[in-house]
Amino acid sequence: MKRKIVLLGATGSIGTQALEVVRAHPNRFEMQVLTAATNAELLIQQALEFRPQAVVITDEGKYAEVKAALTGTSIEVLAGSAALEEVVQYDGVGLVISALVGSAGLRPTIAAIKAGKDIALANKETLVVGGQLVMELVSKHGVNLLPVDSEHSAIFQCLVGESNNPIERVYLTASGGPFRGKDRAYLASVSHEQALCHPNWVMGAKITIDSATLMNKGLEVIEAKWLFGLEARQIDVVVHPQSAVHSLVQFEDGSIKAQLGPADMRLPIQYALTYPNRVGNNFKRFNFADFPSLTFEQPDTDTFRNLALAYRALELGGNVPCILNAANEEVVAAFLKGGVGFLQMSDIIEETMATVGHIAKPSLDDYLRTDRESRAIAKALVIKNKTYII
């Protein structure tokens, strides 16, 4: 039987690549629901190709456009963010791919888990914001939580067959982004256009900026803690400019396993969709001749302070990672509009973390309130500090 899939975030970078995987295996998968935030045009094209049971456009102002385009089909058209929590609970859904951007992924992912649906998680912010709550629900409802991020998929693959062997340490690899090796004087005047030029990966704007600031790696450190039950001291980041080794696991005997492959997100996406099986494809194969040397170095956390801030948030725990994430989303949005400097993003995040109250054991409502408060403070700091404006 075909596996029925709900794809949250169908028009983004991960979503469109997930549909490439589905397109390559029409006998294995069926798209039951497709969702998009604002890209109505692409959502309509996808719906007409894949003929899902329903589509959701969360921008309610685009509902009429999508509805008119799909009139005459059997596709149900829904609008608004609340609809995301509804569609993940549909009967017959075998897997929910959470490829939303930012903390918007938390509530629909929780709804899917409570409904007993397996999750392919590409939305790391879900675990950054509410990792303890989410993992408790995963355990309670007995669902599979399958990582899609290339780094976490690599760790997950290295752990297959190692259930009785404790992890000593994991190493998350980072490309270093477009500004690897640059100093603070250089970074003080970089533009968002420069920051969007990632050397190895093709990704959405927000995650590309996060890669340039090393915040993406910081969020992945927090995600790894929850996915694999680790302490902060067990998670290291190493800069690996070639992006050939996607992450490594060291066991208590000192042995290290690594997962290698091309810089192609379709590979971890397909593994999450087909787990525990591996399925053939015609994707580009890894060629060692293309990589005569593989290098590794320590990240510069004095210059790229976001990684250090993420470790601090992880160590403080509670709602602090939620504060970190909310502030980061706001400053990245401001940076993309030219309203904040590259280096000042870290300053605002740090000040927001120091301002919002710490809650040691937050509930879902606590997380949501923390998210709102942190965003308001970060936005105010962008506006208030005129020296941030470029």
Side-chain angles (χ1 to χ4, degrees):
M1 293 180 62
K2 292 183 180 181
R3 192 174 202 187
K4 294 185 177 181
I5 296 173
V6 172
L7 176 51
L8 303 176
T11 59
S13 175
I14 294 295
T16 53
Q17 291 178 87
L19 289 176
E20 287 186 48
V21 174
V22 170
R23 191 180 289 116
H25 300 286
N27 296 325
R28 289 181 173 272
F29 308 114
E30 177 182 335
M31 300 312 303
Q32 191 163 357
V33 180
L34 299 171
T35 84
T38 61
N39 193 341
E41 181 179 358
L42 182 54
L43 179 64
I44 291 165
Q45 293 175 14
Q46 292 172 338
L48 291 174
E49 176 183 358
F50 290 94
R51 298 287 171 158
Q53 175 184 338
V55 298
V56 178
I57 183 77
T58 54
D59 181 349
E60 296 184 25
K62 301 287 185 71
Y63 171 79
E65 177 185 352
V66 178
K67 180 68 175 177
L70 298 181
T71 297
T73 73
S74 61
I75 302 169
E76 182 181 10
V77 180
L78 304 171
S81 57
L84 300 178
E85 297 177 55
E86 176 185 344
V87 296
V88 296
Q89 301 179 62
Y90 279 178
D91 290 341
V93 172
L95 182 72
V96 174
I97 303 174
S98 181
L100 298 172
V101 176
S103 59
L106 178 62
R107 293 184 67 156
T109 302
I110 286 176
I113 293 169
K114 288 182 176 180
K117 311 300 184 183
D118 287 343
I119 309 294
L121 188 65
N123 173 248
K124 62 177 64 66
E125 291 85 355
T126 290
L127 291 180
V128 171
V129 173
Q132 182 172 349
L133 173 63
V134 171
M135 296 311 294
E136 287 174 353
L137 290 171
V138 166
S139 177
K140 177 181 178 180
H141 294 278
V143 302
N144 291 313
L145 184 61
L146 305 164
V148 169
D149 274 347
S150 61
E151 297 82 358
H152 300 92
S153 176
I155 294 170
F156 184 74
Q157 293 181 56
C158 288
L159 291 175
V160 171
E162 301 282 2
S163 58
N164 295 321
N165 296 317
I167 297 171
E168 184 171 293
R169 188 174 298 275
V170 300
Y171 296 90
L172 296 169
T173 55
S175 70
F179 304 135
R180 181 176 66 89
K182 303 299 184 183
D183 59 19
R184 292 180 65 83
Y186 177 90
L187 295 174
S189 60
V190 297
S191 67
H192 69 270
E193 290 89 354
Q194 290 173 282
L196 288 170
C197 295
H198 195 282
N200 298 332
W201 295 91
V202 177
M203 305 177 291
K206 195 267 183 182
I207 191 173
T208 304
I209 300 301
D210 282 348
S211 178
T213 66
L214 289 192
M215 179 58 87
N216 187 52
K217 209 52 51 178
L219 300 179
E220 288 175 0
V221 167
I222 299 172
E223 183 181 9
K225 181 260 190 302
W226 295 113
L227 280 172
F228 306 113
L230 303 172
E231 301 298 328
R233 59 179 172 77
Q234 294 177 282
I235 309 169
D236 275 356
V237 171
V238 293
V239 175
H240 170 52
Q242 297 81 22
S243 296
V245 179
H246 298 305
S247 278
L248 311 92
V249 178
Q250 185 174 43
F251 297 95
E252 62 181 357
D253 64 351
S255 296
I256 293 178
K257 290 174 71 173
Q259 190 264 337
L260 288 77
D264 186 343
M265 280 304 302
R266 294 176 300 175
L267 292 173
I269 292 169
Q270 178 175 295
Y271 188 71
L273 267 59
T274 62
Y275 176 81
N277 301 312
R278 294 186 183 272
V279 176
N281 58 50
N282 61 0
F283 303 156
K284 180 181 178 181
R285 269 29 184 182
F286 184 85
N287 185 353
F288 279 96
D290 294 334
F291 298 92
S293 64
L294 299 177
T295 61
F296 303 88
E297 59 196 59
Q298 291 299 309
D300 178 2
T301 54
D302 291 329
T303 301
F304 298 91
R305 296 177 54 236
N306 280 355
L307 180 56
L309 290 174
Y311 269 104
R312 187 191 306 174
L314 179 56
E315 289 163 357
L316 291 170
N319 67 330
V320 182
C322 178
I323 301 168
L324 171 94
N325 180 74
N328 180 64
E329 289 187 18
E330 293 302 325
V331 296
V332 169
F335 177 68
L336 286 168
K337 295 176 182 176
V340 64
F342 185 88
L343 293 176
Q344 282 69 49
M345 287 191 281
S346 298
D347 297 337
I348 294 174
I349 294 167
E350 185 173 33
E351 189 168 351
T352 305
M353 289 171 63
T355 303
V356 180
H358 180 215
I359 303 173
K361 295 183 179 180
S363 65
L364 177 57
D365 286 341
D366 290 329
Y367 285 127
L368 298 176
R369 281 194 297 269
T370 295
D371 182 78
R372 290 193 297 269
E373 182 182 357
S374 302
R375 290 177 188 279
I377 290 170
K379 285 179 180 178
L381 288 169
V382 170
I383 295 169
K384 178 182 177 182
N385 295 276
K386 299 300 183 182
T387 56
Y388 291 159
I389 304 302
I390 59 173

